[in-house]
Amino acid sequence: MLIPTALNALKSSRSISWSPTGRFQQTLAGCLELSGISLHSGKVSKVKLCPEFAGRGRYFDFKSNFIPASIDYAEESSLCTTLSKDGFKIRTVEHLLSALEAMGVDNCRIEIANEDAKDSEVEVPIFDGSACKWVDAIEEVGLKLAIDQRGNCCEKMAPYVNQPVYAWRNDCYLVAFPAKAVRITYGIDFPQVPGIGCQWFSTAPLDNMFYAEQIAPSRTFCIYEEVEQMRNMGLIRGGSIENAIVCSVSKGWINPPLRFHDEPCRHKVLDFIGDISLFARLGSQGLPVAHLVVYKGGHSMHANFVRRLSENI
């Protein structure tokens, strides 16, 4: 029986395989709505999260244009993750998607709008620069089992890493090693900014409680000496010490105290979870069941890694 043997060998050689998790897909128990200023555009936007059928996954609804939260629609952009389809763009999606992925909201319709009806671009609010606002709202409304249009529950699948998958650029790298549970180890290095320096953070097996307590509160950060340059580039127009922690090369942290001694590194993990969630499809889990090790990653590298994962299915 050479053909079955060959097929089995091919299947076992794949780096990624989708397997049941033993859990059913979930969605929100009701709608929730939040609004706030956007980090880069400085405009106020409103987001409404709504329950969705099992198998629909997470997607944005902007002016009746549906943009799936999928790597297929991710594009390169400065300092944030952007989804684009048919000329419409949703910017800075990473914090919201991070919270949805980590808190187990597998299926969700995300309606989004801003104050300018003519805009073809919109941006998710930044709030305090963390994911706490999203986590609190999700916990308040609660979750329920997602059913499909026939009234059936659907088992939640997850991507399992069978052999190492990696991506790198210069001295930056991202590797997924086979493991029995999701674990993330992340390193950053800012030698020119002593207040940040080199930091490493590693999760225990990641669950929603660990995420809510140890990752979600970490805020986005920036270097004070780079603020003017970024604003000249049309970025962080809505940025302030109310929605970011700011570190000066010479003076250290401008707006202490930090919520964690390694808050910048933890925030990178927050961003990473949001970016990796773009691997999810049809209500599945986006985070690979693996030990994910990242050094000096960023939104671009995260997205490239998800594309690499997609090539190894």
Side-chain angles (χ1 to χ4, degrees), residues 158-224:
Y160 284 74
V161 171
N162 302 317
Q163 52 187 307
V165 181
Y166 56 88
W168 79 93
R169 184 178 61 248
N170 299 324
D171 64 339
C172 311
Y173 61 81
L174 205 169
V175 187
F177 296 101
K180 294 181 179 180
V182 178
R183 183 177 179 182
I184 301 171
T185 299
Y186 209 111
I188 63 174
D189 191 16
F190 290 81
Q192 77 280 20
V193 189
I196 301 176
C198 183
Q199 301 180 7
W200 283 91
F201 177 76
S202 187
T203 70
L206 185 66
D207 59 28
N208 58 355
M209 183 176 296
F210 184 91
Y211 178 87
E213 295 178 354
Q214 302 296 326
I215 297 175
S218 57
R219 296 162 291 176
T220 191
F221 65 97
C222 69
I223 300 169
Y224 176 76

Side-chain angles (χ1 to χ4, degrees), residues 292-311:
L292 300 147
V293 182
V294 194
Y295 180 62
K296 295 174 65 173
H299 295 300
S300 177
M301 173 166 279
H302 299 164
N304 287 336
F305 182 71
V306 177
R307 294 186 181 98
R308 181 67 61 86
L309 290 174
S310 300
E311 295 170 358

Side-chain angles (χ1 to χ4, degrees), residues 10-279:
L10 177 60
K11 182 177 180 180
S12 65
S13 69
R14 292 173 179 170
S15 299
I16 305 293
S17 59
W18 292 88
S19 300
T21 63
R23 304 187 303 274
F24 289 116
Q25 292 184 21
Q26 299 182 112
T27 188
L28 294 169
C31 293
L32 65 90
E33 188 172 308
L34 295 173
S35 61
I37 195 168
S38 301
L39 176 62
H40 294 298
S41 69
K43 296 180 180 180
V44 173
S45 58
K46 179 172 63 176
V47 177
K48 184 177 182 180
L49 306 183
C50 303
E52 186 51 279
F53 287 114
R56 292 287 183 86
R58 298 180 286 256
Y59 65 93
F60 288 86
D61 177 357
F62 178 40
K63 297 183 177 179
S64 298
N65 295 277
F66 303 134
I67 306 178
S70 164
I71 192 61
D72 295 335
Y73 301 95
E75 66 172 33
E76 296 289 328
S77 56
S78 299
L79 301 180
C80 68
T81 297
T82 298
L83 299 175
S84 177
K85 181 185 176 187
D86 299 332
F88 292 91
K89 296 184 178 184
I90 317 292
R91 302 180 68 191
T92 320
V93 300
E94 57 269 20
H95 297 177
L96 169 56
L97 294 182
S98 180
L100 293 174
E101 173 74 17
M103 301 304 291
V105 185
D106 307 308
N107 302 278
C108 184
R109 178 190 181 105
I110 307 165
E111 299 176 5
I112 186 167
N114 65 12
E115 54 199 2
D116 191 340
K118 297 180 180 179
D119 280 352
S120 60
E121 297 186 13
V122 68
E123 189 175 359
V124 177
I126 190 65
F127 301 122
D128 69 347
S130 77
C132 275
K133 194 89 168 179
W134 296 117
V135 168
D136 290 345
I138 291 168
E139 290 183 331
E140 183 175 351
V141 74
L143 303 181
K144 66 178 181 180
L145 288 178
I147 57 173
D148 62 20
Q149 289 177 296
R150 295 182 178 181
N152 299 316
C153 295
C154 295
E155 186 159 23
K156 183 174 179 176
M157 307 290 283
Y160 284 74
V161 171
N162 302 317
Q163 52 187 307
V165 181
Y166 56 88
W168 79 93
R169 184 178 61 248
N170 299 324
D171 64 339
C172 311
Y173 61 81
L174 205 169
V175 187
F177 296 101
K180 294 181 179 180
V182 178
R183 183 177 179 182
I184 301 171
T185 299
Y186 209 111
I188 63 174
D189 191 16
F190 290 81
Q192 77 280 20
V193 189
I196 301 176
C198 183
Q199 301 180 7
W200 283 91
F201 177 76
S202 187
T203 70
L206 185 66
D207 59 28
N208 58 355
M209 183 176 296
F210 184 91
Y211 178 87
E213 295 178 354
Q214 302 296 326
I215 297 175
S218 57
R219 296 162 291 176
T220 191
F221 65 97
C222 69
I223 300 169
Y224 176 76
E225 286 77 8
E226 296 177 355
V227 168
E228 183 175 356
Q229 178 185 358
M230 287 190 288
R231 286 188 168 159
N232 289 338
M233 295 169 60
L235 301 170
I236 63 169
R237 293 173 178 173
S240 72
I241 58 173
E242 303 302 321
N243 54 37
I245 46 175
V246 185
C247 194
S248 167
V249 172
S250 59
K251 299 178 181 179
W253 291 104
I254 301 296
N255 55 336
L258 300 186
R259 293 174 179 173
F260 307 97
H261 74 278
D262 52 1
E263 188 171 355
C265 194
R266 293 183 189 225
H267 185 80
K268 284 289 191 176
V269 174
L270 188 160
D271 281 346
F272 177 61
I273 293 170
D275 292 339
I276 291 294
S277 77
L278 297 175
F279 192 45

